[in-house]
Amino acid sequence: MTRSITKKDISRLDEQDPLASRRGQFHLPADTIYLDGNSLGLMSYATQQRVADTTTTQWGEHLITSWNRHNWIQLPQQVGNKIGRLIGVADGQVVCCDSISVNLFKVLAAALQLQPGRNQILSTVDNFPTDLYMVQGLEQLLGASRCHLVMVEESELANSISEKTAAVLATEVNFRTGRRLDLQALTATAQLHGALMIADLAHSAGVMPVELDNWQVDFAIGCTYKYLNGGPGAPAFVYAAKRHHRALQQPLCGWMGHVRPFDFSPHYEAADDMTQFLSGTPPVLSMCAVDAALEAFDGVSLAEVRSKSIQLSELFHSLIEQHGLSNELHLISPTDPVTRGSQLSYRHEHAYGICQALIEAGVIADFRAPDYLRFGFAPLYTSYADVWDAAGVLKDVLASKAHLDPRWQQRNTVT
Amino acid sequence: MTRSITKKDISRLDEQDPLASRRGQFHLPADTIYLDGNSLGLMSYATQQRVADTTTTQWGEHLITSWNRHNWIQLPQQVGNKIGRLIGVADGQVVCCDSISVNLFKVLAAALQLQPGRNQILSTVDNFPTDLYMVQGLEQLLGASRCHLVMVEESELANSISEKTAAVLATEVNFRTGRRLDLQALTATAQLHGALMIADLAHSAGVMPVELDNWQVDFAIGCTYKYLNGGPGAPAFVYAAKRHHRALQQPLCGWMGHVRPFDFSPHYEAADDMTQFLSGTPPVLSMCAVDAALEAFDGVSLAEVRSKSIQLSELFHSLIEQHGLSNELHLISPTDPVTRGSQLSYRHEHAYGICQALIEAGVIADFRAPDYLRFGFAPLYTSYADVWDAAGVLKDVLASKAHLDPRWQQRNTVT
């Protein structure tokens, strides 16, 4: 921008924001600017109400009858279908259950079994660690002849796919840098070489259009506690393209994945649909929270969400530049918003101290080792005024050197 | 008993019950007698309060800072240690996470890896199906040469242990019949043959003394939503004896099991303690519910719980006999309470109809295919008057033939 951004510009942006009314559905703590929805989304009032009702009435009052009466038994499929609509998936291909890690294990084993003669799982060295760890766990269990993790730099990913690649495992938006891969192109390249595509959507579901069906992605996993606002550690989701349902076998075959669980047969027989990805009994309280949280997406256009996400992040970085901070804070995220998720990451020697000083001043961002500062933008509830105010606080922190406070010398952060 | 049991006897039993005051900590729905705590325990008021606080304040207000501020990050270990005290385990050997099914997969893989040269997992054909399914899933993944499920009749279990047995997998209390195994003797026999002992405590944790450390049990899993009252589908627990911690490897190695998860290293390095059994991010709302539910056990003697459990079940069956119902309702559970858990199971051609008619009359029991009726006794909140009243309702149902109502012809039950 050639002229300075003013508070008046900000007001106009908020006034014209088609998503502005969604903010009222969420609880925003007083005197807080929350730019950490990429780690833990806000609680919506609908969710608060549903958790209370599920606890007090459904469990407390209706007890065991709620499995039928309140349809607890179908929650994994019901919530899964709602998530499916946000990631471009026809019904019956997503279930909500377990954690990302556990779901990835199921998917990895299923993918390898669909790919006899191929043993490589190709991923990036800076993928979210749990994704890499789960491959390593499977490799240790099966032996490298059946499962072998190959890690390459992100820039080398597409070029590294070969006839040995059983599956490409890639996170669409990098948790550290916010870099966004072209999942459609990557899937096409993978499949050209006979490889399957496994996408981790932890940082993309709910914040940008995703078209798994159209892009022909084979498997996906993702989390519900970031942009889907499902609550801390809420159950994750898993997607398997319908074309694979009949042939696949996943090894965590608990009773909820049985074709007739209430026959209590001693012999496992997998359901022939997405239900086969279920394992044990689902954590109902946490899953009801996810179900309720998804109501905030009713009638929302993800194209509009993406458009606002880009505007918010572009605005933030413009303000960093306007405040003369861009020499001190090194932008690690791509400058082109098309190749970026809904976060901006900056490198700074004292990133941890800055993060703590910001929190103390009421701006919640987060820190990632060794020296990254992340700002996440959640278009359902982040306003342009939030971005303006946060940039101002950041400027003040750096000017006052609050980030050099000795209290922040010892690192002790989580998630 | 030689003389009839009277309402006066019941009153005396309740008056003299040392656990009677615990009942007030739980929400009992009006006009309901709940004999299904072996499927889903009642909600305590402490749990109701904690879930509301965790949702509204910890998540809603304190957001991401709660991982440290409210110590969410240590919940699996903290809750695990509390459960450990109820199953005779010193701190640091139990964590609360995932489902029984998923935890069993971890344990099975770890046990097989500790037992090179042995491939058999020995279990009973009437074990809870998910336990058998998880072995079948691992067998399918690894091949029968590395993992092979052998199922025998319960009476043959001890005699079937051999030098091929990698591990014995047994549920202490059978979900259908309520039969209780002698876990201590079975563990000794298993170890005599060089096999490991894996115990499923789903129907024993919280309702009888269990002494895993004393009995030298190698691994255990169990659920928190039955007698521990953690809420529907609440996270399960897993125990591994400390002597195995250094040598074992479990394959679902997510980031929460890493020795330094917040280093975000691309290479997995397992924590060398019980933390290595963690995989993904824990479902905080559900886990806080378990944590709060365990408060009801503060100061409780499990010997007293067991004693009351036996008295409740003996009373129930005596009333069945007194009402002249024991010809029609065939007791499937052992008659000796020492070899029984905290439930009574009866076989009846119209078990499903009886269960539904009881529910309609305010007595919650449950049905298990094909023709079992289960009555569970939870000494923390079940009173002797409950048992008296339930037996009376059961008598009335059978006398009125309410169980033959055409509405109950189609079976549609869960859990």
Side-chain angles (χ1 to χ4, degrees), chain A residues 27 61 133 136 262 265 268, chain B residues 27 61 133 136 265 268 415:
Chain A
H27 177 71
E61 196 68 23
Y133 299 164
Q136 289 166 31
F262 295 100
S265 158
Y268 186 72
Chain B
H27 177 71
E61 196 68 23
Y133 300 163
Q136 290 165 31
S265 159
Y268 186 71
T415 294

Side-chain angles (χ1 to χ4, degrees), chain A residues 27 41 48 56 59 61 68 130 133 136 140-141 146 232-233 249 253 255 262 264-266 268 281-284 286 415, chain B residues 27 41 48 56 59 61 130 133 136 140-141 146 176 225 232-233 249 253 255 262 265-266 268 282-284 412 415:
Chain A
H27 177 71
Q48 179 181 31
T56 302
W59 171 22
E61 196 68 23
N68 294 313
T130 212
Y133 299 164
Q136 289 166 31
Q140 195 275 323
L141 183 67
R146 287 187 56 197
Q249 291 180 294
C253 47
W255 72 310
F262 295 100
F264 296 101
S265 158
Y268 186 72
T281 308
V284 171
S286 288
T415 294
Chain B
H27 177 71
Q48 179 182 32
T56 301
W59 172 23
E61 196 68 23
T130 212
Y133 300 163
Q136 290 165 31
Q140 194 275 321
L141 183 67
R146 286 187 57 197
R176 277 200 191 89
Y225 52 77
Q249 291 180 294
C253 45
W255 71 309
F262 295 101
S265 159
Y268 186 71
V284 170
N412 177 30
T415 294

